[in-house]
Amino acid sequence: MTHNEPIGIFDSGVGGLTVMREIMRRLPNENLIYFGDTARVPYGSKSKDTIGKYSGQIVRFLKTKNVKAIVIACNTASSLALDDLRKKSDLPIIGVVEPGAVMAAKTTQTQVVGVIGTVSTIKSQIYNRKLMAINPEITLISKACPLFCPLVEEGLLEDRVTEDIASRYLHELKEYDLDTLILGCTHYPLLRHTIARIMGESVHLINPAYETAKFLKEELEEKDLLRKGEVSLDDVRYEYYVSDGEERFVSFADSVLSCDVKEATQINIEEY
Ligand code: DGL
């Protein structure tokens, strides 16, 4: 493996592009390969066994691209599959949960933290375990917000419907003295303005995508895996793979990423 090999990033669909966006900003010299499992999305309502199987296939696919590290840019897959994948892999594999939990623990003053995510992420209690391990004094209030992902994918980022649904979901969180809220799903950073308005100024929103990019950089530095030498913009490659619907993917990717996304390649992930 050389330092110039790409970093593999995967998600259940398009949401992980919010993580890719932060990685592009923080590590502009790195080649990146993104896989979105658009044929089998959503993961957020699926079981650990299914998500483990899907994630294993994706890691095998990314390894055929000689990636030097893998980022699980999906909260649900990070919650349910990361530990098993790490046991089986010789590559560094980074999830989005730990970086978000670490930052939340650092940020909170009231020691009351909230997390919102998919049904499977919240059910897994992963954020409770991570936060307890960092600081047992922290109380975590969790809430699944399953309608947020479809709203984002419909482009309803600033809309009355989104505002109404967000008010309903977040209403009960406001009864607690929380000062920090983890946006524990790939799509939620795209709703941060609505969420911030409802939660109020005193609540810090933690974006795990941003924290993960920082974490990844540190990890690659520590393992001496960062790309070396002078790199011009022309030397940086971004590739996109999906399991279905290339056109829809490209149009969403184009709206989230600051670079031009020209194409995505469809593959049969079941073969891996
Ligand atoms: N990417 C998923 C997550 O972050 C959200 C979409 C899904 O349910 O697959 O949990």
Side-chain angles (χ1 to χ4, degrees):
M1 190 186 306
T2 76
H3 297 89
N4 292 354
E5 300 294 5
I7 298 165
I9 304 170
F10 80 87
D11 176 46
S12 55
V14 293
L17 292 165
T18 59
V19 181
M20 181 160 183
R21 177 173 70 179
E22 300 300 339
I23 294 174
M24 286 170 166
R25 283 181 187 149
R26 195 157 288 264
L27 294 166
N29 293 345
E30 298 292 336
N31 293 318
L32 305 176
I33 295 192
Y34 183 93
F35 175 78
D37 200 357
T38 43
R40 304 187 293 193
V41 68
Y43 283 13
S45 51
K46 294 196 170 74
S47 68
K48 183 174 179 358
D49 282 355
T50 301
I51 292 165
K53 180 186 140 191
Y54 290 175
S55 303
Q57 289 174 324
I58 299 168
V59 167
R60 283 193 286 280
F61 162 69
L62 289 172
K63 282 187 173 175
T64 67
K65 300 283 170 196
N66 294 324
V67 294
K68 62 182 174 186
I70 292 177
V71 178
I72 309 183
C74 173
N75 279 261
T76 309
S78 299
S79 305
L80 297 169
L82 176 64
D83 289 347
D84 288 345
L85 290 174
R86 269 195 186 145
K87 276 182 214 147
K88 290 182 206 148
S89 179
D90 42 351
L91 289 177
I93 305 187
I94 290 157
V96 287
V97 169
E98 178 120 35
V102 168
M103 185 41 83
K106 264 191 210 156
T107 306
T108 183
Q109 298 289 315
T110 60
Q111 311 299 340
V112 185
V113 172
V115 63
I116 51 178
T118 65
V119 171
S120 298
T121 296
I122 297 302
K123 221 171 99 194
S124 76
Q125 303 240 337
I126 183 93
Y127 279 98
N128 304 57
R129 290 199 296 281
K130 293 285 176 204
L131 283 167
M132 284 313 100
I134 301 168
N135 177 359
E137 301 290 302
I138 292 176
T139 302
L140 183 71
I141 317 293
S142 312
K143 177 80 187 163
C145 303
L147 290 173
F148 279 176
C149 288
L151 288 169
V152 169
E153 292 194 18
E154 286 304 318
L156 300 173
L157 304 185
E158 295 282 339
D159 192 276
R160 255 184 47 208
V161 177
T162 309
E163 188 91 24
D164 282 354
I165 291 171
S167 300
R168 269 212 210 186
Y169 280 146
L170 302 176
H171 175 74
E172 64 186 69
L173 295 181
K174 294 191 68 177
E175 289 168 17
Y176 299 88
D177 185 24
L178 63 87
D179 63 352
T180 305
L181 178 65
I182 304 170
L183 306 178
C185 172
T186 46
H187 292 57
Y188 300 1
L190 298 172
L191 296 178
R192 65 189 177 285
H193 298 303
T194 304
I195 296 170
R197 227 175 6 253
I198 294 167
M199 294 307 295
E201 272 175 16
S202 59
V203 176
H204 293 89
L205 301 184
I206 304 292
N207 178 358
Y210 182 80
E211 303 307 326
T212 300
K214 275 201 304 197
F215 210 84
L216 173 66
K217 185 170 181 203
E218 283 161 18
E219 182 90 3
L220 294 181
E221 253 161 15
E222 196 181 296
K223 297 202 153 57
D224 191 23
L225 282 174
L226 281 175
R227 194 168 179 186
K228 295 224 161 83
E230 281 288 302
V231 181
S232 81
L233 270 185
D234 293 341
D235 295 331
V236 180
R237 276 182 304 115
Y238 299 138
E239 286 173 36
Y240 307 87
Y241 295 86
V242 291
S243 46
D244 197 12
E246 307 102 292
E247 275 175 27
R248 191 169 148 79
F249 176 88
V250 166
S251 126
F252 192 91
D254 230 16
S255 72
V256 171
L257 302 176
S258 51
C259 61
D260 231 12
V261 180
K262 290 193 184 65
E263 56 172 18
T265 306
Q266 185 174 332
I267 59 150
N268 182 1
I269 194 64
E270 297 284 352
E271 282 174 1
Y272 292 87

